[in-house]
C-alpha cells in the first residue's frame, strides 16, 4: 500500500510538472522537448529528486510513447504519398543521408566508440524532427510557401527510411551477427513492401473494417492493433516502432483522420513520458564531458541540413530565399534521435548523454534557424555588396584599380521571395 501511495505521488508530480513546463514552453515559443529532457535529468539517478517507486511504470509508459509517436506519424501519410515521395525526392534523400549521417558516424569512430555506435550516432544526426518542424512551419505561417512541400518530402523520406534503419540498428545492438542482421533486414524490407502494396490496393477496405461510428471503439481497436503489431514486430527483431508506423500507413482517409484526433492527446502524454524516461537514464554528471563534442556536432550538422534544404528546394525550382528557408527549417532534431539513442544505449554509455545534449541544442536552435537563416544571409550579402560598391566608388574617385573583395555571394543567385520562394 505504501509503494502504491508513493507511486501515485511521484506520477502525479511528474505529470503535473510536464504540464507546467509544456505550458511555459508554449508561452515562450519553444519546443517542450528540451524541458522534458531536463526534467528527466532532475528526476533521474544523480538528479535533484530521484524517483524510486515509479521508474518501472514510466519505462512502460515510455515504450507506449514511442509506439504512439510512430503510429501517429504513419497516420499522417497514405501509401500513395509515400510512393510518390520516393519517386520524386529520393535524390534529395540520398544527399540528406550523405551530408547528415556521415558526420555522426565519423564522430563516433573518432571518439573510439566502435562501428555499432557509429551506426547509431549516424542516425541521431541524420533524422530531423518532423513534429518540431511541422509546428515551426505552422507558427511562422509558411504552410503555403513554395518550399514547404520540399521540406515535407525530405521528412517523408527520412521517416520511411526509419522503417529499414531501426531494424538494422536493433539487430546490430542485439549482436545478431551478419546472418541475423541480414535476416532482419530482409524481413523489414519485405514487411514494408507488403504493407505498402496492401495499403495501395486494399487500404479502403482495411480502413472500413477498422472504422467505427463510436469514438471509443475506434480508439480501442486502433490502439490495440498498434500495440499488438508492435509487440509482434519486436519479437521478430524488426522494431516495435516500425510495426506501429506500418499500422498507421495501412489506415487512410476518414478513419486515419478520426484516429489522429483521438490518439493525439495520448501521444502527447506518453511522448512526454518517453522524453522524461530518456532523461532519467542520463546522470547529469555525464553531460559536461560530452558537451563540447555535442556542440561541435550540432554546428556541423546544422550547416549540412541547410545545404540539404538548399539542394532539395533547388531541384524543385525554388528561388534562393526559399531554398535558405527550407534549409533552416530542417535543422531541428528531436524524437527520432532520442529513439535511436535509446536503442543504442547499451553499446556505449556515452551515447545517451551525447544524444541528450545534441538534441537539446538543436531542438532549441532549430526554430531559430528556421526563422533567421534567410534574413541573416540576405543581410550579410547586402553588407558585402555595399562594401564592394564603396570600394569601387573609391577606386573610381582615385583613378586606381579596386582592391580584391571577399566572396561576393553567400547564398547563390538571388531569386524568389515571400510565398513564391
Amino acid at each position: 500500500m505504501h509503494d502504491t501511495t508513493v507511486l501515485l505521488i511521484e506520477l502525479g508530480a511528474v505529470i503535473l510538472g510536464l504540464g507546467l513546463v509544456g505550458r511555459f514552453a508554449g508561452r515562450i515559443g519553444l519546443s517542450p522537448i528540451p524541458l522534458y529532457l531536463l526534467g528527466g535529468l532532475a528526476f533521474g539517478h544523480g538528479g535533484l529528486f530521484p524517483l524510486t517507486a515509479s521508474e518501472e511504470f514510466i519505462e512502460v509508459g515510455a515504450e507506449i510513447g514511442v509506439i504512439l509517436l510512430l503510429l501517429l506519424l504513419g497516420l499522417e501519410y497514405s501509401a500513395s504519398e509515400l510512393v510518390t515521395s520516393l519517386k520524386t525526392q529520393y535524390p534529395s534523400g540520398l544527399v540528406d543521408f550523405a551530408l547528415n549521417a556521415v558526420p555522426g558516424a565519423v564522430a563516433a569512430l573518432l571518439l573510439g566508440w566502435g562501428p555499432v555506435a557509429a551506426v547509431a550516432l549516424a542516425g541521431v544526426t541524420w533524422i530531423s524532427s518532423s513534429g518540431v518542424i511541422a509546428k515551426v512551419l505552422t507558427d511562422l505561417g509558411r504552410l503555403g510557401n513554395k518550399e514547404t512541400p520540399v521540406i515535407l518530402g525530405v521528412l517523408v523520406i527520412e521517416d520511411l527510411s526509419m522503417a529499414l534503419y531501426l531494424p538494422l540498428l536493433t539487430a546490430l545492438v542485439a549482436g545478431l551477427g551478419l546472418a541475423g542482421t541480414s535476416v532482419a533486414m530482409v524481413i523489414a524490407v519485405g514487411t514494408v513492401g507488403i504493407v505498402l502494396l496492401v495499403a495501395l490496393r486494399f487500404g479502403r477496405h482495411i480502413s472500413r473494417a477498422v472504422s467505427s461510428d463510436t469514438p471509443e471503439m475506434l480508439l480501442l481497436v486502433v490502439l490495440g492493433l498498434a500495440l499488438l503489431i508492435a509487440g509482434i514486430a519486436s519479437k521478430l527483431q524488426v522494431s516495435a516502432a516500425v510495426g506501429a508506423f506500418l499500422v498507421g500507413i495501412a489506415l487512410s482517409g476518414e478513419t486515419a483522420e478520426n484516429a489522429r484526433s483521438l490518439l493525439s492527446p495520448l501521444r502527447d502524454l506518453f511522448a512526454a513520458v518517453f522524453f522524461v524516461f530518456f532523461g532519467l537514464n542520463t546522470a547529469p554528471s555525464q553531460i559536461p564531458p560530452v558537451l563540447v563534442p555535442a556542440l561541435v556536432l550540432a554546428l556541423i550538422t546544422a550547416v549540412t541540413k541547410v545545404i540539404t534544404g538548399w539542394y532539395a528546394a533547388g531541384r524543385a525550382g525554388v528561388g534562393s530565399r526559399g531554398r535558405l528557408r527550407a534549409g533552416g527549417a530542417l535543422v531541428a532534431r528531436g524524437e527520432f534521435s532520442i529513439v535511436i539513442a535509446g536503442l543504442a544505449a547499451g553499446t556505449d554509455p556515452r551515447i545517451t548523454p551525447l544524444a541528450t545534449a545534441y538534441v537539446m541544442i538543436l531542438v532549441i536552435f532549430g526554430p531559430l534557424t528556421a526563422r533567421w537563416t534567410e534574413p541573416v544571409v540576405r543581410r550579410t550579402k547586402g553588407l558585402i555588396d555595399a562594401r564592394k560598391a564603396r570600394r569601387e566608388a573609391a577606386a573610381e574617385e582615385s583613378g586606381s584599380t579596386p582592391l580584391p573583395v571577399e566572396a561576393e555571394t553567400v547564398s547563390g543567385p538571388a531569386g524568389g521571395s515571400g510565398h513564391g520562394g
Side-chain angles (χ1 to χ4, degrees), residues 49-70:
F49 312 103
L51 301 177
T52 54
S54 60
E55 192 167 353
E56 278 189 36
F57 187 93
I58 290 175
E59 182 176 2
V60 175
E63 288 287 337
I64 296 174
V66 174
I67 290 170
L68 289 175
L69 277 171
L70 273 293

Side-chain angles (χ1 to χ4, degrees), residues 82-420:
L82 289 174
V83 172
T84 301
S85 291
L86 279 174
K87 290 179 179 178
T88 59
Q89 294 284 356
Y90 74 89
S92 300
L94 293 175
V95 170
D96 181 31
F97 173 79
L99 289 178
N100 297 286
V102 171
V106 170
L109 295 175
L110 290 176
L111 292 168
W113 291 0
V116 177
V119 173
L121 199 57
V124 170
T125 59
W126 171 24
I127 304 298
S128 298
S129 171
S130 301
V132 173
I133 292 170
K135 186 178 187 306
V136 169
L137 292 176
T138 302
D139 292 344
L140 295 177
R142 294 184 183 173
L143 293 181
N145 281 24
K146 189 176 179 181
E147 75 274 4
T148 298
V150 176
I151 297 170
L152 298 178
V154 172
L155 295 177
V156 169
I157 293 290
E158 290 183 349
D159 294 338
L160 188 58
S161 299
M162 286 294 96
L164 305 178
Y165 170 83
L166 289 178
L168 170 64
L169 181 61
T170 301
L172 291 174
V173 170
L176 296 183
L178 180 61
T181 302
S182 300
V183 170
M185 287 304 298
V186 169
I187 293 173
V189 172
T191 303
V192 172
I194 291 171
V195 168
L196 287 177
L197 181 63
V198 170
L200 281 170
R201 294 192 174 183
F202 308 107
R204 292 182 181 178
H205 302 290
I206 296 171
S207 298
R208 193 178 300 119
V210 171
S211 180
S212 172
D213 294 331
T214 307
E216 178 185 354
M217 294 300 105
L218 178 61
L219 174 64
L220 291 174
V221 169
V222 174
L223 180 58
L225 184 63
L227 293 173
L228 176 63
I229 299 300
I232 294 172
S234 182
K235 195 73 174 176
L236 296 173
Q237 300 291 338
V238 173
S239 168
V242 170
F245 180 64
L246 295 177
V247 170
I249 291 174
L251 302 178
S252 61
E254 186 178 352
T255 301
E257 292 177 12
N258 292 337
R260 276 201 305 270
S261 63
L262 290 171
L263 289 165
S264 291
L266 277 178
R267 185 270 314 272
D268 295 339
L269 169 61
F270 284 102
V273 172
F274 164 69
F275 290 118
V276 168
F277 177 73
F278 189 82
L280 288 177
N281 290 326
T282 307
S285 60
Q286 295 176 322
I287 297 291
V290 298
L291 196 54
V292 172
L295 183 59
V296 171
L297 202 53
L299 291 174
I300 291 172
T301 54
V303 173
T304 54
K305 276 293 181 182
V306 172
I307 296 172
T308 298
W310 174 273
Y311 171 80
R315 288 187 68 250
V318 179
S320 60
R321 294 176 66 176
R323 294 167 77 177
L324 287 169
R325 288 195 297 268
L330 287 169
V331 167
R333 309 308 202 272
E335 56 275 8
F336 261 131
S337 297
I338 298 298
V339 170
I340 293 165
L343 281 175
T347 62
D348 192 291
R350 292 165 291 184
I351 288 181
T352 300
L354 177 63
T356 301
Y358 176 81
V359 169
M360 287 176 64
I361 292 168
L362 286 185
V363 84
I364 295 171
F365 191 49
L368 299 179
T369 61
R371 185 184 296 270
W372 295 110
T373 296
E374 182 266 326
V376 166
V377 172
R378 178 162 43 88
R379 179 169 294 184
T380 303
K381 181 180 181 299
L383 291 174
I384 292 174
D385 289 344
R387 185 181 177 187
K388 176 190 174 185
R390 286 196 300 270
R391 288 193 176 192
E392 290 177 346
E396 287 178 4
E397 289 179 3
S398 63
S400 61
T401 304
L403 295 172
V405 182
E406 293 93 289
E408 295 179 14
T409 60
V410 174
S411 60
S417 61
H419 289 274

